[in-house]
Structures are given as C-alpha cells and as structure tokens.
Amino acid sequence: MREFYLLNEIGERYDLNTENCLFTNPAGLGTEMASALADMDDGFYLTSKETFTSGQIVGDVNFCGSNPYADYRAFVDWCYKGYKLIFGYKPYGAEEYYCDVDLTSLAKSDIGSGAILSSTIMFTKKTPWYKPTARLVNIEPSSAVSPSSFDLVFAFEFVNDEQSGEISVNSNGHLPSALKVVADGVLVNPTIELTKNGSTINKMELDDLTVSSGSVLTWSSVYTDCRIDVDGVSKISKLNLANENFFRIPMGDGYKLKITSEQAVSLNAVVYVYDYYRSV
C-alpha cells in the first residue's frame, strides 16, 4: 500500500496516512514534458527543445479523528511554520521518494458525512522526484570513525585511503544526479573532483582557504540549494572560476568523486548523491 508524508527542511515529518490526517484521491504524481517541435516538412518534425513542467500534486486531506477542526488547525500550523516543504511518497515497498513543493491551496468546508472534514489540497512541484543516498568518506584508516557522529538518514559506506578520499558515484535516475558534500575540518584549499577512466570531468577548487578543526565545509550542486560555505558563511569568492564548480553526475556509470586537501590531514566527509526521476 502506498504512503504519503510531508517533510520540512529541519527534518520534521507529518504523516498523511492516519485518521487524524489522511491523504486520498492523489493526482499529479507522474510527469509532464513540454516539447518544442521544428517542422521538417511533409509531416515530419524534430524535437528542438524538451522542458520538464512543474505540475501540481492534488488530492484530499481528510481529518477523521475525534476533533476534525483541531486536526485541521494542527496541520495548517505545521505547514506554515515557515520552512521549505518536501512531499514524501512510497509507491511500494520501503523505498521513499521526495519532491520539493510549495503548498499552493488548501480548502476548508464543514464536517460532512461520517464526521469527516475533507479538504482539497494542491502542491506545486519544484523538482522532479528524487532519492538521496549518503556515503561516509574517511581518510585516516588508523582512526575509528563512528557513523553516529553524522546526521545520516540514508545508507552509507566507509571508504578509507591514506592520501585521498575517492568513491564511485553513478547517476541512477532519469536526469543528471546532484551532489552534496559535508566535510569536517581541517582542510587546506580543498578540491572536489569528478573523474571517469582517470580523466577529470569537472572539479571544484577553493583557493586560499583553510577549514579549521571544528568547522564544517558544505558544497552542494543540488538544484534548489547550490552553495559553498563554511559554518554557513558563503565562500563563493574563494572558488576558482575557471572550473564548473557546481557540477552534477552525468547519466551513466563509471564515475568517481575524489576529495583532496593540499596538506595531509584527516578527513571525515559525507557525500550525498541525489538521483532524480521523471516519475516513480
């Protein structure tokens, strides 16, 4: 049985599968493309441009508990806390997919038959469906690293190398996959490089920057969250602009992501890979 959730950017979840708030009659879970066609004469056309349209997820939220109006109010209060919203969807099994959304409209009427308050709701999709996974990179084999020290919601694996951290990364969805790296200091002029068959595809380089012990470097090429910062302070001025610094993993496999520092230092980093899907 499929399940639905709402999440926000601080990790809170709102279950849409209970009698207090039950999401039913969903529509808009698929995909829609807008294509521009070039006329090739005699009824033949060539696709000149293909664009993913945002679309909407619509349905009904049904408040069936002992006090439907109070449940409605609790839902509204949660949605309008001021945080970004994410729609969570389990089409089958345990795999969960996500879509960044805006709450576009929420109706309210009177309690109907069966003492149920049913309200039509609409979300505007801001991303395709995506599924992030996380992997832990550890450079310093002699030192034990506890995964519990990281905020890891998804699966991870250890990778150890005395000189550099390199892991295999592939784009497993329907679009190029985005990346997010969260690394602890100490780091000196760090570089994040995407390679294939030993050749550099893209890389991010920081010049004249030391990330001290206790500080955290965050680099993200996630479509709605492109950034490079240390402890929340932007370091975009330190980027080598000769590079395509916010790169993504092209479709296909055989890619590796390498994290290096100019000095031989220990490195603990989490690499998040965001696979995007047209429909799930």
Side-chain angles (χ1 to χ4, degrees), residues 189-202:
N189 296 336
T191 297
I192 301 172
E193 183 178 7
L194 184 70
T195 66
K196 185 172 184 178
N197 299 326
S199 298
T200 299
I201 305 300
N202 275 308

PDB file of all heavy atoms in Angstrom, residues 189-202:
ATOM      1  N   ASN A 189      42.747  24.376   1.228  1.00  0.00           N
ATOM      2  CA  ASN A 189      42.468  24.507  -0.207  1.00  0.00           C
ATOM      3  C   ASN A 189      41.868  23.222  -0.771  1.00  0.00           C
ATOM      4  O   ASN A 189      42.431  22.588  -1.683  1.00  0.00           O
ATOM      5  CB  ASN A 189      43.740  24.881  -0.970  1.00  0.00           C
ATOM      6  CG  ASN A 189      44.281  26.237  -0.572  1.00  0.00           C
ATOM      7  OD1 ASN A 189      43.543  27.088  -0.079  1.00  0.00           O
ATOM      8  ND2 ASN A 189      45.571  26.449  -0.778  1.00  0.00           N
ATOM      9  N   PRO A 190      40.725  22.796  -0.256  1.00  0.00           N
ATOM     10  CA  PRO A 190      40.148  21.520  -0.681  1.00  0.00           C
ATOM     11  C   PRO A 190      39.678  21.537  -2.133  1.00  0.00           C
ATOM     12  O   PRO A 190      39.311  22.575  -2.685  1.00  0.00           O
ATOM     13  CB  PRO A 190      38.968  21.330   0.274  1.00  0.00           C
ATOM     14  CG  PRO A 190      38.603  22.717   0.706  1.00  0.00           C
ATOM     15  CD  PRO A 190      39.891  23.478   0.753  1.00  0.00           C
ATOM     16  N   THR A 191      39.687  20.336  -2.723  1.00  0.00           N
ATOM     17  CA  THR A 191      39.230  20.134  -4.092  1.00  0.00           C
ATOM     18  C   THR A 191      38.251  18.965  -4.115  1.00  0.00           C
ATOM     19  O   THR A 191      38.474  17.951  -3.447  1.00  0.00           O
ATOM     20  CB  THR A 191      40.409  19.821  -5.028  1.00  0.00           C
ATOM     21  OG1 THR A 191      41.294  20.940  -5.058  1.00  0.00           O
ATOM     22  CG2 THR A 191      39.927  19.534  -6.445  1.00  0.00           C
ATOM     23  N   ILE A 192      37.162  19.112  -4.859  1.00  0.00           N
ATOM     24  CA  ILE A 192      36.226  18.023  -5.105  1.00  0.00           C
ATOM     25  C   ILE A 192      36.204  17.794  -6.603  1.00  0.00           C
ATOM     26  O   ILE A 192      35.882  18.697  -7.382  1.00  0.00           O
ATOM     27  CB  ILE A 192      34.818  18.371  -4.584  1.00  0.00           C
ATOM     28  CG1 ILE A 192      34.852  18.654  -3.074  1.00  0.00           C
ATOM     29  CG2 ILE A 192      33.829  17.240  -4.881  1.00  0.00           C
ATOM     30  CD1 ILE A 192      33.548  19.183  -2.515  1.00  0.00           C
ATOM     31  N   GLU A 193      36.560  16.576  -7.029  1.00  0.00           N
ATOM     32  CA  GLU A 193      36.793  16.307  -8.446  1.00  0.00           C
ATOM     33  C   GLU A 193      35.991  15.096  -8.903  1.00  0.00           C
ATOM     34  O   GLU A 193      35.969  14.057  -8.241  1.00  0.00           O
ATOM     35  CB  GLU A 193      38.280  16.058  -8.671  1.00  0.00           C
ATOM     36  CG  GLU A 193      38.685  15.844 -10.115  1.00  0.00           C
ATOM     37  CD  GLU A 193      40.191  15.662 -10.253  1.00  0.00           C
ATOM     38  OE1 GLU A 193      40.884  15.576  -9.212  1.00  0.00           O
ATOM     39  OE2 GLU A 193      40.674  15.601 -11.406  1.00  0.00           O
ATOM     40  N   LEU A 194      35.332  15.239 -10.053  1.00  0.00           N
ATOM     41  CA  LEU A 194      34.603  14.134 -10.674  1.00  0.00           C
ATOM     42  C   LEU A 194      35.442  13.615 -11.837  1.00  0.00           C
ATOM     43  O   LEU A 194      35.829  14.375 -12.724  1.00  0.00           O
ATOM     44  CB  LEU A 194      33.241  14.608 -11.174  1.00  0.00           C
ATOM     45  CG  LEU A 194      32.328  13.529 -11.768  1.00  0.00           C
ATOM     46  CD1 LEU A 194      31.824  12.596 -10.671  1.00  0.00           C
ATOM     47  CD2 LEU A 194      31.144  14.163 -12.508  1.00  0.00           C
ATOM     48  N   THR A 195      35.715  12.305 -11.825  1.00  0.00           N
ATOM     49  CA  THR A 195      36.542  11.707 -12.869  1.00  0.00           C
ATOM     50  C   THR A 195      35.839  10.511 -13.500  1.00  0.00           C
ATOM     51  O   THR A 195      34.904   9.943 -12.933  1.00  0.00           O
ATOM     52  CB  THR A 195      37.901  11.245 -12.301  1.00  0.00           C
ATOM     53  OG1 THR A 195      37.687  10.159 -11.373  1.00  0.00           O
ATOM     54  CG2 THR A 195      38.619  12.380 -11.614  1.00  0.00           C
ATOM     55  N   LYS A 196      36.317  10.136 -14.680  1.00  0.00           N
ATOM     56  CA  LYS A 196      35.879   8.913 -15.341  1.00  0.00           C
ATOM     57  C   LYS A 196      37.052   8.353 -16.125  1.00  0.00           C
ATOM     58  O   LYS A 196      37.671   9.079 -16.914  1.00  0.00           O
ATOM     59  CB  LYS A 196      34.690   9.168 -16.268  1.00  0.00           C
ATOM     60  CG  LYS A 196      34.129   7.885 -16.884  1.00  0.00           C
ATOM     61  CD  LYS A 196      32.825   8.134 -17.637  1.00  0.00           C
ATOM     62  CE  LYS A 196      32.240   6.826 -18.142  1.00  0.00           C
ATOM     63  NZ  LYS A 196      30.940   7.022 -18.830  1.00  0.00           N
ATOM     64  N   ASN A 197      37.367   7.090 -15.871  1.00  0.00           N
ATOM     65  CA  ASN A 197      38.504   6.434 -16.525  1.00  0.00           C
ATOM     66  C   ASN A 197      39.795   7.226 -16.353  1.00  0.00           C
ATOM     67  O   ASN A 197      40.626   7.315 -17.264  1.00  0.00           O
ATOM     68  CB  ASN A 197      38.220   6.218 -18.013  1.00  0.00           C
ATOM     69  CG  ASN A 197      37.023   5.327 -18.254  1.00  0.00           C
ATOM     70  OD1 ASN A 197      36.762   4.403 -17.491  1.00  0.00           O
ATOM     71  ND2 ASN A 197      36.282   5.621 -19.319  1.00  0.00           N
ATOM     72  N   GLY A 198      39.959   7.833 -15.182  1.00  0.00           N
ATOM     73  CA  GLY A 198      41.171   8.564 -14.875  1.00  0.00           C
ATOM     74  C   GLY A 198      41.215   9.988 -15.388  1.00  0.00           C
ATOM     75  O   GLY A 198      42.162  10.733 -15.088  1.00  0.00           O
ATOM     76  N   SER A 199      40.224  10.411 -16.152  1.00  0.00           N
ATOM     77  CA  SER A 199      40.189  11.774 -16.700  1.00  0.00           C
ATOM     78  C   SER A 199      39.229  12.647 -15.906  1.00  0.00           C
ATOM     79  O   SER A 199      38.163  12.191 -15.486  1.00  0.00           O
ATOM     80  CB  SER A 199      39.757  11.750 -18.171  1.00  0.00           C
ATOM     81  OG  SER A 199      40.676  11.014 -18.949  1.00  0.00           O
ATOM     82  N   THR A 200      39.612  13.908 -15.718  1.00  0.00           N
ATOM     83  CA  THR A 200      38.776  14.843 -14.984  1.00  0.00           C
ATOM     84  C   THR A 200      37.582  15.272 -15.832  1.00  0.00           C
ATOM     85  O   THR A 200      37.748  15.714 -16.969  1.00  0.00           O
ATOM     86  CB  THR A 200      39.583  16.084 -14.570  1.00  0.00           C
ATOM     87  OG1 THR A 200      40.653  15.680 -13.710  1.00  0.00           O
ATOM     88  CG2 THR A 200      38.703  17.087 -13.839  1.00  0.00           C
ATOM     89  N   ILE A 201      36.396  15.140 -15.276  1.00  0.00           N
ATOM     90  CA  ILE A 201      35.173  15.605 -15.940  1.00  0.00           C
ATOM     91  C   ILE A 201      34.851  17.022 -15.480  1.00  0.00           C
ATOM     92  O   ILE A 201      34.619  17.917 -16.287  1.00  0.00           O
ATOM     93  CB  ILE A 201      33.993  14.666 -15.648  1.00  0.00           C
ATOM     94  CG1 ILE A 201      34.338  13.214 -16.045  1.00  0.00           C
ATOM     95  CG2 ILE A 201      32.736  15.141 -16.373  1.00  0.00           C
ATOM     96  CD1 ILE A 201      34.676  13.034 -17.495  1.00  0.00           C
ATOM     97  N   ASN A 202      34.853  17.240 -14.184  1.00  0.00           N
ATOM     98  CA  ASN A 202      34.617  18.554 -13.592  1.00  0.00           C
ATOM     99  C   ASN A 202      35.259  18.571 -12.214  1.00  0.00           C
ATOM    100  O   ASN A 202      35.500  17.510 -11.608  1.00  0.00           O
ATOM    101  CB  ASN A 202      33.125  18.862 -13.463  1.00  0.00           C
ATOM    102  CG  ASN A 202      32.529  19.440 -14.732  1.00  0.00           C
ATOM    103  OD1 ASN A 202      33.047  20.402 -15.285  1.00  0.00           O
ATOM    104  ND2 ASN A 202      31.460  18.832 -15.208  1.00  0.00           N
TER     105      ASN A 202
END
